[in-house]
């Protein structure tokens, strides 16, 4: 394949990325924005060209060391749920846009600390970016079998890098607010992560199954190579220590690498995306590493005795077997790995460079005097220029400084440098006492140790190999004999860094602002709801003055909106001009994303007059606010309880009113029911008394009526009392094992001859397997009698009554059907009410008390059962459902 | 001969009223609910109607509203006989145009006197 063809493929591939970014950014669809897998894949920006080629080299030359770089993150990832949720919250409420912002804000929102961290990151990462460019260039020339020209204008890498720079500066600076999410870039990176894994797996399968006969074959053949055993063991305790320290190094890297901080924290849209990431990301790393071993050892077997750089095995192997397709695919995978690293790193570093170095040290005064259009344009331009600057510097590194170093060693050096942020970073989240002085001195000391022992020797080695060895002897006094250089320096630099940080922090006090942020960081969950309230500030400030500053960056409209939101949130009058601490913090947040936290503070400070607060005072305020928050929480809890109580009372009250009304209705009905027979009795009695010439038959009728109506009265009274007892639970059920068919017959017997007289056909259907159930027989007889009594009354001559026993869904179901008039639909549920009498009732008032079905319902209720009526084609069925579970009946 | 229509679903109450008014020289018509009342009124124009309130099918309140709609029944007196003794019920009955509202149980003697007076006015 010649250069032009491959370059065309690269162009196509980059066009695809541009398109994905463009499409995701434009559509802002949920697929990209709210997808935990896109988030998880974007984290795989961790796997750079170093993974793609470097790991193979390490596996071939040094053995298992390559695994340490991935084992570290895999081990620590479960802790993300705790640590990273916290960091995400802190970053969200403080509008943090980079790791430099994150750490420096905690140590008193210090401009100098932010700048130092930014410089450290830039120095550590630029060679790393250079390395990626080198990987692109090397593999390009390898695939096209061309020479790497010295002239940068004929070097293809130049143009690829230029395109990446354009892409990054376009999609990386879409928003002036750097804490905004960059959907386009993240989507493109996620796709790249996906592709590079697939491509790598294709290579792995090609080597393992295409060239060799599976893993066993490679293993069998590799076993005979001289250094196999030594390379594939930990080499005793000493080797294990090296391995463990390298794992710890990668553990810190997964938190601290600016590109990891950016993808994990800044680009996180939902905290619960972390839950997906903690399994997808380790899985990704495992799949990636699965094929490192066969490719490395397969390469060693294939190129035995030849002086070949094993880092290039991924391309050399397919090439050796003439597979251009696979080598191009591998090249594209490596290209993806490099590009995504360059893009994310250059974007994050440019944010640091602009927000923590260039703007706070060079542009604030200019911004103060200009308007929002000018300011925003310049902020974006500063970032664009930063991106180009960073990538060009990296290019220079690649071209002139690191051509000879291996991918692995340059990567590890930058890991060690970045690891120096660990004490102040983790201290920020977990330790209140850490101070600015401690953190800065610790960091500088750690960096110095790294430079003296790691970087300077490396450059000296390039000039004069002997000098380098002498230089390294500086550490000789402390040297732990069995540790290799990288773990050695990592261990000592971090130890010195952390020790100095701790000692200085404990022995110095730190200023109030540090202490204030310490509280917010460590206790973020407590302040998440109103973090502005946790900010301590005393002094004189006017809303109008601060507003003028805000307008210079946000413009009139957005400022107005923001103030409105603030006033609404804290219930503040729009006319109010006195700015309190909450407003100061709110305003700083509005500016933070644009110009960095430090510059935001400096700008707001310029228009306010802050009174000095002593540290004890701050501690007191913090204590109070803590108490306030606790008190507030208690009060909220109490008021919630009160509300619940009053709700309960209200519902109790309304249920009482309902009951009272029911009682009134019941009384009404009762009196009505009682008055009716009394009326008949009284009238008959009166006539009998006054009328002497009443005919004998009528007299007899009247006297009979008096007796029957008296009986009816008595019956009503009995039923009322009985119902009352059932309701109040005074009547205890006498539950026993009984035969339901026998019980039914006992109820049927007294009424049976009446049914026969009316020529009603009575039939029984028994579908039960077992007739025995637990219930109170006397009560159930009453139920049957009431229902049968009604059925008898409402069934016309020559009608039919049919009872059916069956088991349904583990319930005993008894249906008593009778032919005759149906119940109006609207009354079907009312017939079990006391004294139910429908206005649609179209039968003569039945003989009875009007309480029969109400009593039935009460009895069945007491058996935990159900009774209901159902209209059928030619009549009505009363259904009874009773629990079949023999133990559960009450 | 004066005509009286007795509407009540309680047979035993109707018996006493029927006996009393017949003896007092009325021609007695009996209805067991509101619909029977309205049916009867198509042919007869009684001087007085005794209406129970709680009757099946068509209750007393509905029945009196139907009666009051008919021009030919405007001289017909309507008396409620009811066990509903709430002031609200009584008021409702009178508002609907009843000439009297007698609560159950009543004195037959007083009832007949009251009706005689009603008819003589």
């Amino acid at each position: 394949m010649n250069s032009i063809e491959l370059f065309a493929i690269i162009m196509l591939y980059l066009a695809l990325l541009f398109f994905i970014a463009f499409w995701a950014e434009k559509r802002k669809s949920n697929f990209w924005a709210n997808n935990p897998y896109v988030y998880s894949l974007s984290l795989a920006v961790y796997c750079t060209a170093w993974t793609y080629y470097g790991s193979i080299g390490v596996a071939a030359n040094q053995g298992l060391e390559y695994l340490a770089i991935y084992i570290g993150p895999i081990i620590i990832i479960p802790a993300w749920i705790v640590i990273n949720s916290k960091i995400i919250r802190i970053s969200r409420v403080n509008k943090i846009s980079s790791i430099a912002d994150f750490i420096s804000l905690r140590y008193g929102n210090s401009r100098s600390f932010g700048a130092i961290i930014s410089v450290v990151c830039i120095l550590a990462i630029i060679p790393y970016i250079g390395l990626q460019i080198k990987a692109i260039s090397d593999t390009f020339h390898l695939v096209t079998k061309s020479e790497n020209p010295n002239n940068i204008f004929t070097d293809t890498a130049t143009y690829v890098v230029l395109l990446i720079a354009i892409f990054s500066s376009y999609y990386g600076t879409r928003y002036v607010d750097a804490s905004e999410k960059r959907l386009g870039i993240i989507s493109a990176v996620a796709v790249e992560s996906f592709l590079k894994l697939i491509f790598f797996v294709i290579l792995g399968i090609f080597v393992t199954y295409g060239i060799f006969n599976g893993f066993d074959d490679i293993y069998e053949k590799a076993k005979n190579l001289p250094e196999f055993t030594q390379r594939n063991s930990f080499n005793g305790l000493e080797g294990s220590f090296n391995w463990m320290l390298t794992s710890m190094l990668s553990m810190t890297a997964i938190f601290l690498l600016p590109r990891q901080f950016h993808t994990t924290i800044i680009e996180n849209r939902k905290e619960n995306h972390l839950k997906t990431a903690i399994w997808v990301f380790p899985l990704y790393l495992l799949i990636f590493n699965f094929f490192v071993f066969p490719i490395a050892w397969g390469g060693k077997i294939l190129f035995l005795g030849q002086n070949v750089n094993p880092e290039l095995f991924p391309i050399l192997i397919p090439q050796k077997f003439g597979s251009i397709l696979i080598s191009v695919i591998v090249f594209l995978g490596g290209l993806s790995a490099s590009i995504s690293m360059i893009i994310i790193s250059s974007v994050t570093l440019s944010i640091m460079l602009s927000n923590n170095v260039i703007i706070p040290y060079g542009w604030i005064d200019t911004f103060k005097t200009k308007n929002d259009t000018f300011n925003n344009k310049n902020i974006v331009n500063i970032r664009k220029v930063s991106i180009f600057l960073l990538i060009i510097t990296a290019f220079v590194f690649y071209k002139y400084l690191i051509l000879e170093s291996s991918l692995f060693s340059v990567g590890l050096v930058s890991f060690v440098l970045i690891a120096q942020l660990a004490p102040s970073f983790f201290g920020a989240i977990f330790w209140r006492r850490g101070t600015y002085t401690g953190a800065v001195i610790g960091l500088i000391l750690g960096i110095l140790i790294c430079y003296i022992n790691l970087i300077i020797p490396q450059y000296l080695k390039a000039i004069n190999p002997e000098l380098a060895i002498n230089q390294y002897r500086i550490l000789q006094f402390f040297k732990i004999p069995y540790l290799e250089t990288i773990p050695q320096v990592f261990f000592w630099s971090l130890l010195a860094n952390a020790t100095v940080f701790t000692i200085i922090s404990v022995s110095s006090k730190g200023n109030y602002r540090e202490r204030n942020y310490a509280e917010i960081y460590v206790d973020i969950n407590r302040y998440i709801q109103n973090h502005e309230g946790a900010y301590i500030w005393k002094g004189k400030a006017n809303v109008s003055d601060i507003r003028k500053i805000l307008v210079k960056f946000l413009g009139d409209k957005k400022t107005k909106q923001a103030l409105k939101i603030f006033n609404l949130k804290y219930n503040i009058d729009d006319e109010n001009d006195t700015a309190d601490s909450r407003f100061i913090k709110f305003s700083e947040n509005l500016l933070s994303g644009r110009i960095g936290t430090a510059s935001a503070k400096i700008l707001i400070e310029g228009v306010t007059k802050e009174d000095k607060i002593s540290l004890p005072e701050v501690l007191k305020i913090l204590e109070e606010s803590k108490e306030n928050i606790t008190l507030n929480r208690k009060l909220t809890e109490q008021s919630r309880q009160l509300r619940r109580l009053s709700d309960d009372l209200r519902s109790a009250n309304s249920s009482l009113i309902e009951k009272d009304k029911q009682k009134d209705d019941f009384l009404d009905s009762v009196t009505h029911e009682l008055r009716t027979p009394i009326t008949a009795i009284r009238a008959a009695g009166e006539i009998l008394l006054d009328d002497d010439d009443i005919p004998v038959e009528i007299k007899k009728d009247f006297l009979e009526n008096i007796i029957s109506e008296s009986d009816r009265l008595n019956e009503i009274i009995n039923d009322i009392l009985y119902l009352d007892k059932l309701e109040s639970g005074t009547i205890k059920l006498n539950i026993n094992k009984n035969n339901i068919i026998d019980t039914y017959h006992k109820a049927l017997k007294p009424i049976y001859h009446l049914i026969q007289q009316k020529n009603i056909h009575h039939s029984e259907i028994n579908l039960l397997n077992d007739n025995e159930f637990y219930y109170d027989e006397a009560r159930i007889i009453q139920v049957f009698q009431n229902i049968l009594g009604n059925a008898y009354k409402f069934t016309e001559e020559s009608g039919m009554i049919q009872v059916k026993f069956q088991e349904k869904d583990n319930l005993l179901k008894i249906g008593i059907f009778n032919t005759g008039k149906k119940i109006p639909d609207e009354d079907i549920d009312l017939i079990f009410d006391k004294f139910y009498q429908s206005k649609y009732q179209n039968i003569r008032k039945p003989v009875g008390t009007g309480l029969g079905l109400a009593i039935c319902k009460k009895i069945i209720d007491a058996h935990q059962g159900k009774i209901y009526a159902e209209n059928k084609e030619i009549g009505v069925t009363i259904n009874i459902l009773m629990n079949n579970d023999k133990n559960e009946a009450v | 001969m004066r005509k009286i229509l007795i509407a009540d679903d309680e047979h035993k109450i109707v018996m006493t009223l029927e006996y009393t008014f017949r003896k007092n020289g009325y021609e007695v018509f009996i209805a067991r609910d509101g619909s029977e009342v309205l049916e009867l009124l198509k042919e007869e124009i009684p001087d007085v109607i005794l209406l129970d309130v709680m009757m099946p099918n068509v209750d007393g309140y509905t029945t009196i509203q139907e009666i009051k709609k008919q021009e030919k029944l405007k001289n017909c007196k309507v008396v409620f006989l009811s066990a509903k003794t709430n002031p609200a019920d009584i008021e409702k009955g009178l508002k609907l145009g009843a000439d009297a509202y007698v609560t159950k149980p009543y004195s037959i003697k007083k009832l007949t006197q009251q009706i005689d007076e009603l008819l003589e006015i």
Side-chain angles (χ1 to χ4, degrees):
Chain A
M1 176 166 281
N2 67 38
S3 300
I4 298 179
E5 281 168 12
L6 188 61
F7 192 70
I9 292 174
I10 296 175
M11 287 302 120
L12 270 176
Y13 184 75
L14 286 178
L16 173 79
L17 288 188
F18 272 83
F19 175 70
I20 289 166
F22 167 77
W23 186 48
E25 191 82 52
K26 194 180 172 202
R27 296 276 307 278
K28 294 208 185 326
S29 72
N30 251 353
F31 174 78
W32 296 111
N34 193 11
N35 191 331
Y37 297 95
V38 167
Y39 173 72
S40 308
L41 281 172
S42 76
L43 301 183
V45 70
Y46 185 69
C47 300
T48 62
W50 173 11
T51 312
Y52 222 82
Y53 303 114
S55 284
I56 310 274
V58 177
N61 288 339
Q62 277 129 303
L64 289 178
E65 241 169 76
Y66 76 92
L67 264 183
I69 300 301
Y70 306 97
I71 294 296
I74 291 171
I75 292 172
I76 201 70
I77 274 174
W80 276 17
I81 288 292
V82 179
I83 301 175
N84 279 357
S85 330
K86 215 170 167 183
I87 300 175
I88 287 170
R89 287 178 184 181
I90 295 168
S91 303
R92 198 178 64 217
V93 302
N94 289 302
K95 287 279 183 184
I96 279 165
S97 51
S98 68
I99 189 166
D101 256 0
F102 180 80
I103 299 175
S104 65
L105 183 69
R106 155 64 184 82
Y107 298 98
N109 198 358
S110 151
R111 171 164 74 162
S112 52
F113 200 12
I116 292 171
I117 295 166
S118 302
V119 170
V120 167
C121 289
I122 291 167
L123 290 181
I125 303 299
I126 289 229
Y128 200 172
I129 298 178
L131 223 124
Q132 308 298 320
I133 302 174
K134 177 177 176 328
I136 296 174
S137 170
D138 284 358
T139 52
F140 182 88
H141 295 296
L142 195 61
V143 172
T144 56
K145 296 185 178 153
S146 57
E147 276 299 306
N148 193 353
N150 273 331
N151 183 345
I152 55 166
F153 295 106
T154 51
D155 187 348
T156 328
T158 314
Y159 299 102
V160 174
V161 167
L162 208 60
L163 278 170
I164 298 171
I166 291 170
F167 179 84
S168 308
S169 64
Y170 182 70
Y171 282 106
T173 58
R174 293 280 311 248
Y175 307 102
V176 196
D177 188 331
S179 62
E180 282 285 341
K181 320 276 178 251
R182 293 160 188 78
L183 190 53
I185 281 191
I186 291 301
S187 306
V189 166
V191 170
E192 279 186 295
S193 293
F194 181 71
L195 289 177
K196 72 188 177 199
L197 179 65
I198 297 294
F199 292 165
F200 195 73
V201 169
I202 290 175
L203 170 69
I205 292 170
F206 173 77
V207 172
T208 318
Y209 296 100
I211 297 169
F212 292 92
N213 273 327
F215 291 98
D216 293 345
D217 187 33
I218 295 177
Y219 184 79
E220 284 304 319
K221 286 182 178 148
K223 215 165 58 177
N224 302 324
L225 296 181
E227 68 277 30
F228 184 79
T229 321
Q230 189 227 338
R231 295 277 158 82
N232 285 298
S233 68
F234 290 112
N235 299 322
L237 192 64
E238 295 161 15
S240 306
F241 265 112
N242 278 309
W243 206 80
M244 196 186 79
L245 281 169
T246 314
S247 296
M248 283 174 67
L249 178 61
S250 62
M251 243 181 234
T252 59
I254 198 71
F255 285 102
L256 301 172
L257 280 174
R259 65 174 192 277
Q260 292 310 128
F261 187 86
H262 187 85
T263 47
T264 325
I265 309 296
I266 309 296
E267 297 290 346
N268 175 282
R269 283 170 182 270
K270 279 192 176 158
E271 265 177 55
N272 64 15
H273 285 181
L274 276 178
K275 285 185 188 151
T276 310
I278 63 163
W279 67 267
V280 173
F281 185 46
L283 186 68
Y284 186 98
L285 295 180
L286 285 173
I287 297 174
F288 226 114
N289 280 285
F290 187 71
F291 286 106
V292 167
F293 177 88
I295 295 170
W297 286 94
K300 278 189 86 98
I301 297 162
L302 293 169
F303 296 100
L304 189 64
Q306 300 174 32
N307 185 21
V308 165
N309 180 2
E311 290 185 343
L312 300 175
F313 280 168
I315 286 177
L316 288 172
I317 297 173
Q319 240 175 17
K320 187 183 164 89
F321 289 87
S323 175
I324 295 171
L325 177 71
I326 302 278
S327 55
V328 170
I329 278 180
V330 171
F331 171 76
L332 284 181
L335 183 69
S336 304
S338 305
I339 290 179
S340 37
M341 186 277 172
I342 299 173
I343 293 171
I344 301 282
S345 298
S346 64
V347 168
T348 45
L349 291 181
S350 81
I351 295 169
M352 288 194 216
L353 192 58
S354 67
N355 282 13
N356 298 90
V357 184
I358 299 178
I359 296 174
Y361 283 101
W363 282 77
I364 295 191
D365 291 330
T366 319
F367 286 159
K368 264 192 226 169
T369 57
K370 303 286 182 174
N371 66 5
D372 64 307
T373 334
F374 173 90
N375 287 347
N376 287 337
K377 208 174 88 197
N378 276 287
I379 292 169
V380 170
N381 284 340
I382 289 171
R383 291 208 193 113
K384 285 191 169 148
V385 170
S386 301
I387 289 176
F388 273 92
L389 245 142
L390 288 162
I391 294 184
I392 288 168
T393 319
F395 188 79
V396 169
F397 248 84
Y398 136 72
K399 204 75 190 166
Y400 305 107
L401 293 170
I402 51 163
L403 273 175
E404 295 317 311
S405 311
S406 79
L407 288 166
F408 192 70
S409 62
V410 175
L412 278 183
V413 170
S414 74
F415 270 29
V416 176
L417 285 173
I418 292 292
Q420 302 309 319
L421 299 176
S424 50
F425 180 83
F426 292 107
I429 322 164
F430 296 113
W431 195 39
R432 286 189 177 82
R433 286 295 304 274
T435 65
Y436 165 79
T437 328
V440 171
I441 296 179
L443 174 63
I444 291 175
L445 183 67
I447 295 290
L448 274 178
I449 293 175
C450 293
Y451 261 85
I452 292 167
N453 293 294
L454 218 51
I455 294 164
I456 295 176
Q458 224 172 38
Y459 285 116
L460 290 179
K461 203 164 109 188
I463 305 164
N464 182 347
E466 273 174 55
L467 255 177
I469 294 159
N470 289 336
Q471 198 68 35
Y472 189 60
R473 287 210 176 111
I474 293 174
L475 197 69
Q476 207 64 358
F477 178 68
F478 291 106
K479 195 179 173 193
I480 299 170
Y482 46 78
L483 284 189
E484 285 161 25
T485 315
I486 296 275
Q488 182 92 276
V489 176
F490 169 63
F491 177 77
W492 284 113
S493 61
L494 208 61
L495 184 70
N497 180 344
T499 311
V500 166
F501 171 57
T502 315
I503 291 172
I504 296 182
S505 292
V506 171
S507 51
S508 67
K509 265 191 186 146
N511 74 22
Y512 72 94
R513 187 57 73 218
E514 294 172 43
R515 201 49 211 257
N516 188 183
Y517 277 115
E519 190 65 29
I520 297 175
Y521 271 46
V522 173
D523 254 349
I524 182 65
N525 292 341
R526 188 196 288 272
Y527 298 116
I528 190 85
Q529 287 304 334
N530 79 43
H531 58 98
E532 284 123 356
Y535 185 75
I536 295 171
W537 189 88
K538 260 189 177 174
K540 264 202 193 113
N542 293 330
V543 172
S544 47
D545 294 336
I546 296 174
R547 194 195 163 111
K548 273 179 209 150
I549 295 287
L550 294 178
V551 170
K552 286 188 197 305
F553 293 90
L554 300 171
D556 245 336
K557 210 175 130 197
K558 275 193 187 156
T559 308
K560 215 180 219 171
Q561 267 177 355
L563 293 199
K564 204 168 211 171
I565 290 170
F566 178 81
N567 286 343
L568 267 177
K569 182 175 175 188
Y570 291 106
N571 200 11
I572 292 168
D573 193 59
D574 284 340
E575 302 296 307
N576 172 50
D577 195 43
T578 323
D580 60 3
S581 61
R582 295 176 303 192
F583 188 73
I584 305 263
K585 176 66 181 152
F586 178 77
S587 310
E588 279 188 15
N589 271 357
L590 286 176
L591 299 177
S592 287
R594 285 155 200 267
I595 52 173
T597 50
S599 311
K601 186 185 85 173
I602 293 166
L603 276 181
I604 302 288
E605 262 174 5
V607 292
T608 55
K609 229 189 191 160
E610 186 175 6
D611 296 342
K612 278 262 168 273
I613 314 179
S614 66
L615 187 61
E617 215 176 328
V618 171
L619 294 179
K620 211 179 121 206
I621 296 172
L622 281 174
E623 205 45 54
E624 276 169 10
S625 86
K626 219 184 246 178
E627 274 169 22
N628 271 339
I629 287 171
T630 328
L631 201 70
N632 221 328
R633 210 176 277 168
K634 265 190 201 149
L635 277 175
T636 324
E637 180 51 33
Q638 272 174 0
S639 87
R640 200 177 303 143
Q641 274 177 359
L642 272 175
R643 204 173 313 132
R644 209 176 306 138
L645 253 169
S646 88
D647 279 352
D648 285 354
L649 271 176
R650 201 172 303 133
S651 86
N653 192 28
S654 74
S655 107
L656 272 176
I657 289 172
E658 179 58 24
K659 284 229 170 79
D660 201 47
K661 196 181 166 294
Q662 280 175 3
K663 199 202 76 193
D664 281 354
D665 288 352
F666 178 66
L667 265 177
D668 254 12
S669 312
V670 167
T671 49
H672 184 266
E673 292 305 304
L674 292 175
R675 278 198 183 105
T676 305
I678 289 173
T679 308
I681 293 170
R682 196 189 184 291
E686 200 182 336
I687 295 167
L688 289 170
L689 179 69
D690 292 344
D691 194 345
D692 293 331
D693 26 79
I694 181 169
V696 183
E697 273 134 72
I698 292 177
K699 182 176 173 182
K700 214 175 156 192
D701 275 352
F702 282 7
L703 285 169
E704 263 174 21
N705 284 355
I706 289 173
I707 292 166
S708 71
E709 289 300 271
S710 302
D711 288 348
R712 182 173 159 199
L713 269 178
N714 192 40
E715 221 177 293
I716 293 172
I717 291 164
N718 284 343
D719 277 359
I720 290 169
L721 292 175
Y722 184 57
L723 200 60
D724 185 57
K725 277 183 191 160
L726 280 174
E727 269 173 354
S728 64
T730 355
I731 293 182
K732 282 271 174 291
L733 293 184
N734 181 20
I735 305 268
N736 278 307
K737 195 184 201 177
N738 294 293
N739 185 315
I740 190 75
I741 305 293
D742 290 350
T743 305
Y744 180 74
H745 287 158
K746 284 180 195 167
L748 179 64
K749 206 177 157 192
I751 202 175
Y752 190 64
H753 75 277
L754 287 174
I755 291 175
Q756 278 185 320
Q757 271 176 9
K758 210 170 165 183
N759 207 11
I760 295 171
H761 177 77
H762 175 267
S763 61
E764 289 173 31
I765 299 170
N766 181 6
L767 302 174
L768 296 172
N769 298 322
D770 177 7
N771 295 341
E772 295 198 321
F773 295 91
Y774 283 81
Y775 52 86
D776 181 334
E777 187 173 37
R779 308 288 159 209
I780 297 298
I781 288 177
Q782 260 178 316
V783 171
F784 286 147
Q785 279 179 337
N786 278 325
I787 297 172
L788 283 171
N790 282 338
Y792 162 74
K793 270 179 267 171
F794 298 133
T795 306
E796 68 286 10
E797 294 247 343
S798 312
M800 179 176 100
I801 294 175
Q802 186 182 66
V803 62
K804 191 166 163 187
F805 300 90
Q806 58 187 314
E807 275 195 61
K808 210 174 179 186
D809 307 326
N810 208 28
L811 293 172
L812 165 63
K813 185 179 180 188
I814 305 162
I816 301 176
F817 167 78
N818 68 274
T819 54
K821 278 277 186 192
K822 294 190 215 172
I823 302 165
D825 284 338
E826 54 269 49
D827 287 356
I828 202 111
D829 296 324
L830 301 176
I831 62 165
F832 297 98
D833 289 355
K834 295 164 220 166
F835 302 119
Y836 154 77
Q837 216 181 358
S838 168
K839 57 177 177 175
Y840 304 102
Q841 190 177 320
N842 46 11
I843 23 184
R844 300 291 139 253
K845 196 166 218 175
V847 191
T849 60
L851 291 169
L853 285 178
I855 288 172
C856 290
K857 184 166 160 42
K858 283 278 171 283
I859 291 173
I860 299 299
D861 282 353
H863 282 82
Q864 321 277 311
K866 231 183 116 181
I867 185 166
Y868 61 97
E870 213 180 344
N871 279 322
K872 298 276 171 175
E873 199 77 5
I874 47 164
V876 176
T877 303
I878 305 286
N879 291 303
I880 299 167
L881 289 173
M882 281 211 289
N883 210 326
N884 193 14
D885 191 342
K886 313 198 163 170
N887 302 319
E888 227 181 72
V890 177
Chain B
M1 197 149 83
R2 280 169 179 166
K3 291 178 182 172
I4 187 163
L5 169 57
I6 301 166
D8 200 316
D9 59 335
E10 280 288 334
H11 175 61
K12 283 158 192 169
I13 292 176
V14 174
M15 276 169 77
T16 54
L17 292 170
E18 185 188 1
Y19 174 81
T20 309
F21 283 103
R22 210 160 259 165
K23 200 172 169 217
N24 287 0
Y26 285 78
E27 186 180 349
V28 179
F29 301 93
I30 291 168
R32 287 173 297 184
D33 63 29
S35 59
E36 285 189 15
V37 171
L38 297 173
E39 199 60 36
L40 258 161
L41 290 177
K42 283 179 186 163
E43 288 152 27
E44 299 289 341
I45 300 175
D47 298 283
V48 63
I49 303 169
L50 301 185
L51 262 187
D52 183 19
V53 174
M54 307 253 284
M55 290 185 294
N57 290 336
V58 183
D59 71 4
Y61 292 139
T62 319
T63 313
I64 192 171
Q65 280 166 309
E66 288 301 316
I67 293 169
K68 290 296 165 194
K69 279 183 200 158
Q70 298 184 32
E71 182 58 30
K72 62 169 185 174
L73 297 172
K74 68 171 195 250
N75 291 324
C76 188
K77 308 283 179 198
V78 180
V79 176
F80 275 122
L81 296 182
S82 177
K84 283 167 88 83
T85 55
N86 276 338
D89 294 322
I90 297 172
E91 200 182 324
K92 185 179 176 189
L94 294 175
K95 255 195 185 146
L96 288 172
D99 298 279
Y101 191 109
V102 177
T103 57
K104 291 176 180 176
Y106 42 77
S107 151
I108 287 262
K109 221 183 294 172
K110 279 186 188 155
L111 178 68
T112 48
Q113 273 170 16
Q114 210 172 342
I115 285 168
D116 285 345
E117 280 165 26
L118 206 59
L119 290 179
E120 265 149 34
I121 290 161

